[in-house]
C-alpha cells in the first residue's frame, strides 16, 4: 500500500521515486537552455485532468472483469460481457480522446536567441513532461487534422495560445505569415 501511495504522489507531482536516484540526476541535466518565453494558461488544469483520466481508465480496466465475474447471476454472461465491453469502450475512449486533443498542447517554451533553439514541453499520455528541442527554421504552419495545433516541427504538431504569447518575433518565426 505504501508503494502505491508513493507511486501516486510521484505521478501527480512528476518527481522520481527516491529509489531512482540515477533518473533524477539525468533529469536535472535536461534543463532547457534559454529563457522562458511562454507558459500555457491552462497547464495547471490539464495535468490533473490527465491524471484523473488515466486513473479512471485503470479503474475501468480493473473493474469491468470483476463485474463480469461477480455480477448479478440473473443476467446472462453474454449480456455482462457486452456491458463490460461498452463500459471499457467509453472508459478508454474518453482517455484516448483527451490524449489526442492534448498531446500537442505546449505547457512551457524556452528560447535561446543566440542559437535560435527552442525547447518545448508537452505532456505524455501518463502526464509526464516530454521535452522537444528544435531549431526555429524547422517550424512550419500545421496542415494536419488535429484540432489543437498551429505549428509543426518534423511532422510533430504543437499548439500555443497566440493571444498570450508575448514574444511576437518568435511567434512570427514559428507560425510564418499566420500571426
Amino acid at each position: 500500500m505504501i508503494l502505491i501511495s508513493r507511486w501516486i504522489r510521484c505521478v501527480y507531482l512528476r518527481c522520481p521515486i527516491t529509489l531512482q536516484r540515477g533518473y533524477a540526476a539525468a533529469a536535472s541535466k535536461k534543463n532547457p537552455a534559454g529563457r522562458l518565453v511562454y507558459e500555457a494558461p491552462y497547464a495547471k488544469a490539464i495535468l490533473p485532468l490527465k491524471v484523473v483520466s488515466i486513473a479512471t481508465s485503470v479503474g475501468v480496466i480493473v473493474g469491468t472483469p470483476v463485474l463480469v465475474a461477480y455480477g448479478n447471476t440473473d443476467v446472462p454472461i453474454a449480456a455482462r460481457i457486452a456491458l463490460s465491453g461498452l463500459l471499457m469502450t467509453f472508459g478508454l475512449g474518453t482517455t484516448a480522446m483527451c490524449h489526442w486533443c492534448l498531446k500537442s498542447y505546449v505547457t512551457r517554451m524556452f528560447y535561446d536567441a543566440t542559437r535560435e533553439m527552442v525547447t518545448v514541453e508537452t505532456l505524455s499520455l501518463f502526464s509526464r513532461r516530454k521535452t522537444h528541442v528544435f531549431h526555429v527554421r524547422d517550424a512550419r504552419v500545421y496542415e494536419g487534422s488535429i484540432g489543437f495545433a498551429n505549428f509543426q516541427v518534423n511532422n510533430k504538431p504543437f499548439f500555443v495560445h497566440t493571444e498570450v504569447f508575448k514574444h511576437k518575433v518568435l511567434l512570427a518565426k514559428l507560425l510564418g505569415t499566420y500571426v
Side-chain angles (χ1 to χ4, degrees):
M1 190 66 179
I2 293 172
L3 286 176
I4 293 172
S5 67
R6 286 182 67 198
W7 182 79
I8 290 171
R9 277 186 278 147
C10 174
V11 168
Y12 186 72
L13 298 174
R14 292 186 328 251
C15 64
I17 296 175
T18 56
L19 298 175
Q20 298 176 344
R21 289 203 169 105
Y23 174 76
S28 66
K29 292 179 184 175
K30 288 183 167 182
N31 287 339
R35 66 181 182 98
L36 181 68
V37 293
Y38 172 77
E39 193 160 7
Y42 301 116
K44 292 185 191 238
I46 286 176
L47 179 67
L49 173 76
K50 290 188 84 144
V51 168
V52 167
S53 178
I54 290 296
T56 56
S57 292
V58 169
V60 165
I61 290 171
V62 170
T64 53
V66 172
L67 288 174
V68 170
Y70 299 109
N72 189 353
T73 56
D74 295 337
V75 178
I77 191 75
R80 285 186 274 171
I81 291 173
L83 183 60
S84 174
L86 183 66
L87 286 173
M88 287 185 85
T89 300
F90 284 116
L92 298 176
T94 55
T95 300
M97 287 189 326
C98 177
H99 176 65
W100 184 72
C101 290
L102 298 175
K103 68 182 175 183
S104 62
Y105 192 77
V106 175
T107 55
R108 293 191 312 173
M109 182 183 292
F110 298 89
Y111 180 55
D112 184 5
T114 59
R115 298 183 306 153
E116 290 200 339
M117 295 296 289
V118 177
T119 304
V120 170
E121 288 183 0
T122 59
L123 293 176
S124 70
L125 175 65
F126 296 105
S127 301
R128 305 294 291 178
R129 282 192 180 144
K130 289 173 61 175
T131 304
H132 310 275
V133 180
F134 58 89
H135 198 277
V136 174
R137 70 173 172 259
D138 296 334
R140 304 277 182 267
V141 174
Y142 183 67
E143 298 171 355
S145 62
I146 293 178
F148 294 109
N150 48 18
F151 73 96
Q152 69 182 6
V153 177
N154 300 328
N155 294 327
K156 168 78 174 118
F158 295 104
F159 176 78
V160 293
H161 293 272
T162 57
E163 64 275 2
V164 297
F165 203 96
K166 300 218 185 312
H167 199 292
K168 297 299 181 187
V169 174
L170 176 61
L171 184 62
K173 290 179 182 179
L174 293 175
L175 301 179
T177 59
Y178 300 108
V179 178

